[in-house]
């Protein structure tokens, strides 16, 4: 007996043997069991998903000698003849080769005659969309009102080409492409029955290469068995398909996640030894990051039985959701530019390096970097004097509120320039100042001196300070304050000099009061002041949104416990804990860890407070406009009304 290919040998002979298409099978089974049969069925789908097979099984169900049912006996003469393709009342037509109207007329001439042996005369027309317009026109009347003993079964891969008049006369079923998981599961069963040894990773390669078609999967399995000498392995399958093994793709993705350039180039070098198609390799990288994103969002949607599930789980734990989306988008765009590269390998390498280069960072450090800096550089504030000297303040005044209103009185500033020889020039003001200054407001000045410029300095200085002036000092930023100073006669020395700045008692008291309320200490941190602390954290938009929906619960030594509302945790992942811990450690200047748990928030979150504040300010703005005399006059003259949605409050 000659060898029969797997696609024909394992063709299903009943609905229970079908793999997939449950939505179609359930409808047909219910119609057969309840005797609610239509006279015309249309099965649409891509190649190899079971259109013709379902048509043959339905023919067996209708003509089985045991009676019409969803479970044919498979033992009678009609069942055997249908399985072998010899049943006289099952007319199979290939519309691709019989497209003319004459062929259709010859076919329909015998419709009126009763079936020879079976219960129904069944016309199974494959690739029905290939019929000509004349053939469809000739078929319409018979298709609408056929004899009771006639059933039409149509199969097509392109239902869009069928006339709407034909579609309206048929019961339509759209068959879906099979998933790689379903194909792999069926291949395990078939190879187990055939007693062919196999590696599961090799079957996954076949399942992905089949692209949703079970017939293609069985044909590729036949080829793989022959290529591997009676067994299926991943190496043989990848060599047969011209693809690369999954482990090379995993190594590349792990190197991308670790931000290691040598590891990345090493992984690509190992991949290059297999002479891969880099476009297909880039597609495999995209597929892997897609699976990682699914595992991060809906873990139960990914079957743990896939060959590289452990590697995917490790990547999902170490790489944040933002990085996964970034890697996927850059690789997707890079695939379009790959044909333009001078070499495919260089183009592939540049795509991977671009993904690493554009990976976001938190506070100057990688997102997943859990280490804290040993030293925090104090923010620097710059004062631009008339002599172009730069004065750097100590960190004690770095936390001043962003807006400081200076006193409208004219304040005198005493500047003492100390040279290496001990000579000094003293600048005098209009009024006397305090001789002593607190250490926290006594800045050290390291002026930048241009050797080629030697300005003349007068012995008297009268600084002018504009009344009601405002200076914005933001933490960590540089602010320039121009002071109007009369020229003085002095030749600056290139050596470093010291400048003492005296502040009036009124401003000194105000600055001390502001600096004390700006930053909250770790010991005073409580759920009540969490909203204020959140407003001073330097974090990104994604982490900021997560933190705004959190409530501070308690502190366990160096661990801060937060609760996020269960309705707002769709974008939360474990990497946000580490990022928030870094931000809080920088704020409190103390190494901290953060634990975020899902629950029900009973108090007001920073987000809720922001919404409430916006609503209150909007309501206040609307009330002010409604009470404004000009607005009231316009509303009276023109019988108008105020569009409250267009009102924007100005802070």
């Amino acid at each position: 007996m000659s060898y029969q290919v797997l696609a024909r040998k394992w063709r299903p002979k009943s609905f229970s043997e079908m793999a997939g298409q449950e939505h179609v099978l359930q409808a047909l089974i219910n119609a057969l069991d309840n005797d609610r049969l239509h006279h015309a069925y249309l099965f649409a789908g891509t190649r190899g998903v079971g259109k013709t097979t379902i048509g043959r099984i339905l023919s067996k169900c209708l003509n089985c000698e045991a009676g019409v049912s969803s479970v044919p006996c498979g033992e009678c003469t009609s069942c055997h003849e249908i399985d072998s393709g010899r049943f006289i009342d099952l007319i199979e037509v290939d519309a691709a080769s019989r497209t003319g109207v004459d062929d259709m007329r010859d076919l329909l001439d015998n419709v009126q005659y009763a079936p020879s042996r079976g219960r129904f005369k069944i016309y199974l027309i494959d690739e029905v969309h290939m019929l000509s317009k004349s053939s469809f026109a000739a078929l319409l009347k018979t298709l609408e009102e056929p004899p009771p003993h006639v059933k039409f079964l149509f199969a097509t891969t392109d239902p869009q080409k069928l006339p709407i008049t034909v579609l309206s006369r048929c019961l339509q079923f759209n068959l879906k492409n099979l998933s790689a998981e379903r194909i792999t599961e069926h291949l395990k069963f078939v190879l187990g029955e055939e007693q062919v040894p196999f590696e599961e990773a090799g079957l996954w390669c076949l399942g992905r290469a089949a692209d949703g078609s079970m017939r293609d999967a069985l044909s590729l399995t036949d080829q793989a068995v022959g290529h591997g000498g009676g067994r299926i392995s991943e190496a043989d399958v990848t060599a047969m398909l011209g693809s690369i093994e999954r482990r090379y793709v995993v190594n590349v993705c792990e190197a991308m996640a670790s931000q290691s350039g040598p590891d990345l180039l090493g992984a690509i070098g190992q991949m290059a030894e297999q002479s891969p198609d880099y476009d297909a390799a880039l597609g495999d990288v995209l597929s892997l990051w897609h699976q990682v994103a699914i595992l991060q969002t809906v873990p139960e949607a990914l079957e743990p039985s896939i060959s590289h599930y452990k590697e995917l789980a490790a990547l999902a734990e170490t790489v944040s959701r933002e990085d996964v989306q970034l890697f996927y988008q850059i690789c997707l765009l890079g695939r379009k530019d790959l044909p333009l590269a001078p070499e495919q390998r260089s183009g592939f390498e540049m795509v991977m390096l671009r993904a690493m280069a554009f990976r976001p960072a938190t506070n100057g450090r990688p997102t997943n970097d859990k280490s804290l800096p040993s030293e925090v550089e104090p923010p620097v504030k710059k004062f631009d004097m008339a002599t172009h000297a730069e004065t750097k303040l100590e960190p004690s005044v770095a936390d001043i509120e962003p807006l400081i209103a200076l006193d409208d009185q004219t304040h005198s500033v005493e500047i003492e320039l100390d040279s290496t020889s001990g000579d000094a020039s003293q600048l005098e003001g209009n009024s006397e100042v305090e001789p002593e200054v607190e250490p926290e407001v006594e800045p050290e000045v390291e002026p930048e001196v241009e050797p080629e410029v030697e300005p003349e300095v007068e012995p008297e200085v009268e600084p002018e300070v504009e009344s009601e002036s405002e200076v914005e000092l933001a933490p960590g930023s540089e602010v320039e304050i121009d002071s109007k100073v009369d020229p003085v006669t002095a030749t600056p020395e290139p050596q470093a000099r010291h400048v003492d700045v005296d502040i009036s008692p009124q401003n000194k008291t105000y600055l001390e009061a502001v600096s004390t309320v700006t930053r909250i200490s770790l010991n005073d941190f409580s759920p009540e002041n969490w909203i204020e602390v959140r407003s001073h954290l330097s974090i990104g938009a994604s982490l900021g949104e997560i933190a705004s929906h959190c409530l501070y619960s308690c502190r366990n030594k160096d661990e801060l416990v937060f609760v996020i509302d269960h309705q707002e945790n769709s974008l939360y992942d474990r990497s946000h804990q580490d990022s928030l811990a870094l931000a809080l450690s920088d704020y409190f200047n103390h190494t901290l860890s953060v634990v975020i748990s899902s629950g029900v928030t009973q108090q007001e979150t920073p987000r809720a407070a922001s919404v409430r504040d916006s609503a209150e300010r909007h309501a206040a703005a609307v009330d002010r406009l409604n009470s404004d005399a000009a607005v009231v006059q316009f509303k009276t003259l023109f019988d108008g009304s105020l569009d409250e949605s267009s009102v924007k409050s100005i802070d």
Side-chain angles (χ1 to χ4, degrees):
M1 183 177 180
S2 61
Y3 175 75
Q4 192 175 21
V5 298
L6 296 178
R8 295 185 59 187
K9 182 178 180 180
W10 291 96
R11 190 171 205 167
K13 295 180 175 57
S14 64
F15 290 140
S16 60
E17 297 179 2
M18 288 287 299
Q21 316 302 343
E22 287 82 3
H23 62 294
V24 177
L25 301 181
Q26 189 62 45
L28 295 177
I29 290 173
N30 293 336
L32 291 167
D33 293 339
N34 299 321
D35 196 19
R36 300 181 64 89
L37 297 172
H38 203 271
H39 61 269
Y41 293 87
L42 174 63
F43 303 106
T46 57
R47 77 281 177 270
V49 295
K51 302 182 297 296
T52 306
T53 299
I54 292 178
R56 291 182 178 181
I57 297 175
L58 183 58
S59 301
K60 289 172 61 176
C61 295
L62 294 174
N63 288 307
C64 182
E65 297 177 2
V68 177
S69 73
S70 61
V71 185
C73 66
E75 302 294 336
C76 64
T77 305
S78 297
C79 292
H80 282 294
E81 290 181 355
I82 292 176
D83 289 335
S84 59
R86 297 182 288 106
F87 191 64
I88 192 172
D89 291 323
L90 176 60
I91 300 98
E92 294 193 31
V93 180
D94 183 15
S97 59
R98 302 181 64 180
T99 61
V101 63
D102 295 334
D103 297 326
M104 183 57 61
R105 288 171 179 172
D106 293 339
L107 192 67
L108 298 177
D109 285 342
N110 298 322
V111 171
Q112 57 184 335
Y113 300 111
S116 301
R117 295 214 23 218
R119 191 176 293 107
F120 294 96
K121 181 180 288 187
I122 300 176
Y123 290 87
L124 178 57
I125 304 178
D126 207 358
E127 303 296 334
V128 67
H129 65 277
M130 300 291 291
L131 294 176
S132 63
K133 293 183 178 179
S134 301
S135 299
F136 282 122
L139 179 64
L140 284 180
K141 191 60 179 178
T142 305
L143 184 61
E144 184 177 8
E145 297 178 356
H149 59 269
V150 173
K151 301 292 183 184
F152 288 97
L153 306 180
F154 299 143
T156 179
T157 58
D158 195 358
Q160 304 298 328
K161 293 184 177 180
L162 270 69
I164 190 65
T165 52
V166 175
L167 295 175
S168 64
R169 291 169 167 84
C170 299
L171 207 60
Q172 304 177 43
F173 295 97
N174 294 317
L175 278 68
K176 304 176 182 178
N177 285 356
L178 300 177
S179 64
E181 293 83 1
R182 178 61 62 88
I183 294 177
T184 303
E185 182 181 354
H186 188 69
L187 292 181
K188 289 181 183 178
F189 169 75
V190 171
L191 294 177
E193 295 293 325
E194 293 287 331
Q195 297 182 354
V196 176
F198 61 88
E199 293 181 2
E200 187 173 348
L203 297 187
W204 275 99
C205 294
L206 294 174
R208 289 190 296 268
D211 195 21
S213 173
M214 184 61 73
R215 182 174 62 220
D216 290 1
L218 292 172
S219 300
L220 290 173
T221 302
D222 258 329
Q223 185 179 354
V225 172
H227 186 272
R231 64 185 304 274
I232 295 179
S233 63
E234 183 183 8
D236 293 335
V237 173
T238 54
M240 180 192 73
L241 298 175
S243 58
I244 58 174
E245 298 183 30
R246 180 63 56 166
R247 61 185 178 93
Y248 294 111
V249 179
V250 172
N251 292 339
V252 171
C253 294
E254 290 177 346
M256 295 172 61
S258 64
Q259 291 288 89
S260 176
D263 292 346
L264 177 63
L265 295 181
I268 297 177
Q270 294 177 0
M271 181 189 298
E273 296 177 357
Q274 309 299 318
S275 301
D277 181 3
Y278 287 97
D279 183 73
L282 200 53
D284 292 338
V285 173
L286 285 169
S287 176
L288 192 141
W289 286 124
H290 167 254
Q291 292 176 324
V292 171
I294 292 178
L295 193 60
Q296 290 179 334
T297 308
V298 188
E300 59 273 10
L302 206 61
E303 294 291 337
S305 58
I306 61 179
S307 59
H308 54 288
Y309 185 84
K310 294 183 179 178
E311 291 83 358
L312 291 177
L315 288 173
E317 288 289 333
T318 58
V319 185
S320 65
R321 295 184 179 182
E322 294 86 350
D323 289 351
V324 172
Q325 296 297 327
L326 177 67
F327 292 158
Y328 186 90
Q329 190 66 25
I330 291 179
C331 293
L332 188 65
L333 297 176
R335 195 174 187 184
K336 179 181 66 175
D337 299 334
L338 191 61
L340 303 178
E343 297 179 354
Q344 278 206 335
R345 176 176 177 179
S346 63
F348 182 84
E349 289 178 347
M350 284 302 299
V351 173
M352 301 296 105
L353 294 174
R354 188 185 307 145
M356 293 177 54
F358 284 92
R359 185 178 184 183
T362 301
N363 295 332
R365 297 180 295 275
T367 305
N368 295 316
D369 189 7
K370 301 181 180 179
S371 61
L372 291 175
S374 57
E375 296 181 358
V376 180
E377 297 183 358
V380 178
K381 294 181 174 58
K382 182 176 66 177
F383 294 86
D384 188 10
M385 309 296 289
T387 58
H388 304 281
E390 296 181 353
T391 306
K392 297 183 180 180
L393 298 182
E394 293 293 330
S396 58
V397 296
D399 300 322
I400 301 177
E401 288 288 328
L403 188 62
I404 299 179
L406 297 181
D407 194 3
D408 57 353
Q409 300 178 1
T410 301
H411 302 87
S412 62
V413 180
E414 183 181 67
I415 302 178
E416 185 181 60
L417 303 178
D418 297 336
S419 64
T420 56
S421 60
D423 298 334
S425 300
Q426 184 174 4
L427 305 180
E428 298 179 357
N430 294 334
S431 62
E432 298 181 358
V433 298
E434 296 287 338
E436 298 180 358
V437 181
E438 296 293 335
E440 59 271 15
V441 295
E442 186 178 13
E444 296 181 2
V445 179
E446 298 178 1
E448 297 179 359
V449 180
E450 300 180 1
E452 60 277 9
V453 180
E454 298 182 357
E456 296 181 356
V457 182
E458 297 289 338
E460 294 183 357
V461 174
E462 185 178 355
E464 298 179 2
V465 181
E466 297 180 1
S467 62
E468 300 181 359
S469 62
E470 294 183 354
V471 181
E472 293 185 1
L473 301 178
S477 63
E478 296 184 356
V479 180
E480 296 185 358
I481 300 178
D482 295 331
S483 181
K484 299 179 180 180
V485 184
D486 293 335
V488 295
T489 58
T491 302
E493 299 290 335
Q495 292 82 1
R497 292 167 292 176
H498 179 75
V499 178
D500 293 331
V501 179
D502 292 341
I503 303 178
S504 65
Q506 295 85 353
N507 282 343
K508 176 182 176 182
T509 304
Y510 179 76
L511 293 177
E512 291 177 351
V514 172
S515 62
T516 56
V517 300
T518 301
R519 176 164 298 195
I520 298 173
S521 64
L522 181 59
N523 294 330
D524 297 333
F525 185 36
S526 64
E528 288 75 16
N529 53 35
W530 159 237
I531 297 177
E532 181 180 355
V533 173
R534 162 63 187 89
S535 63
H536 290 82
L537 296 179
S538 301
I539 52 182
S542 176
L543 180 59
E545 185 70 15
I546 295 296
S548 297
H549 290 289
C550 290
L551 278 180
Y552 172 58
S553 176
C554 61
R555 172 190 175 191
N556 297 324
K557 296 183 179 179
D558 293 336
E559 181 182 80
L560 303 180
V561 181
F562 292 84
V563 178
I564 186 172
D565 196 294
H566 66 282
Q567 299 179 351
E568 306 292 343
N569 63 350
S570 58
L571 297 179
Y572 167 72
D573 59 39
R574 294 183 60 184
S575 64
H576 290 123
Q577 296 183 164
D578 302 331
S579 300
L580 184 58
L582 289 175
L584 290 171
S585 299
D586 292 341
Y587 178 86
F588 292 113
N589 197 20
H590 186 79
T591 303
L592 298 171
S593 61
V594 170
V595 175
I596 302 178
S597 59
S598 179
V600 179
T601 55
Q602 302 294 339
Q603 300 179 2
E604 188 179 48
T605 62
R607 176 63 177 174
S610 177
V611 173
R612 175 183 53 77
D613 182 65
S614 299
E616 292 177 353
R617 288 189 284 109
H618 180 267
V622 171
D623 293 340
R624 291 187 62 182
L625 286 176
N626 286 325
S627 60
D628 186 85
V631 176
V632 173
Q633 184 180 5
F634 271 103
K635 292 168 64 177
T636 304
L637 291 175
F638 300 102
D639 193 21
S641 61
L642 178 64
D643 185 7
E644 297 184 359
S645 62
S646 63
V647 178
K648 305 293 183 182
S649 62
I650 301 177
D651 298 334

